[in-house]
Amino acid sequence: MNQEIIKELDKILPVVDRVHGDHHPELHKVLELYNTLKENASKEVFEKLREVTTDYTIPSDACPTYEKTYRLLEALEKDSQ
């Protein structure tokens, strides 16, 4: 997996989850799945991420960092294929 993307997600995903998780509880699952991915980058985990994020659809009230998180997750999936 792309270590640059991993490094960036390690920094921002926990923050996005903490800041937006109350209004977007799916972020808790996104963080959990991401942590699973780091140990086992399987197609199944990426499929679950797509399901939880509705194919990385950015919510209308998302901040730029939230948007970046979904873009990086999608890039990570493409990079791992």
Side-chain angles (χ1 to χ4, degrees):
M1 287 199 308
N2 186 314
Q3 292 304 308
E4 289 179 30
I5 294 174
I6 296 287
K7 186 176 177 181
E8 189 67 18
L9 282 168
D10 282 348
K11 286 192 297 188
I12 66 174
L13 183 51
V15 175
V16 169
D17 178 50
R18 186 178 70 244
V19 172
H20 298 285
D22 287 345
H23 291 91
H24 293 280
E26 70 277 4
L27 284 169
H28 303 312
K29 186 69 175 172
V30 169
L31 181 58
E32 179 185 322
L33 288 167
Y34 170 71
N35 287 329
T36 301
L37 262 183
K38 291 194 300 182
E39 295 176 18
N40 178 25
S42 70
K43 181 179 177 181
E44 291 78 19
V45 178
F46 280 115
E47 286 173 358
K48 288 179 187 174
L49 262 175
R50 280 196 164 278
E51 182 181 322
V52 170
T53 63
T54 316
D55 290 324
Y56 306 111
T57 301
I58 298 161
S60 60
D61 62 341
C63 71
T65 306
Y66 192 152
E67 182 176 346
K68 183 178 183 178
T69 299
Y70 275 24
R71 296 287 173 242
L72 287 171
L73 287 167
E74 189 171 24
L76 189 64
E77 180 179 1
K78 288 179 182 174
D79 185 65
S80 69
Q81 293 176 347

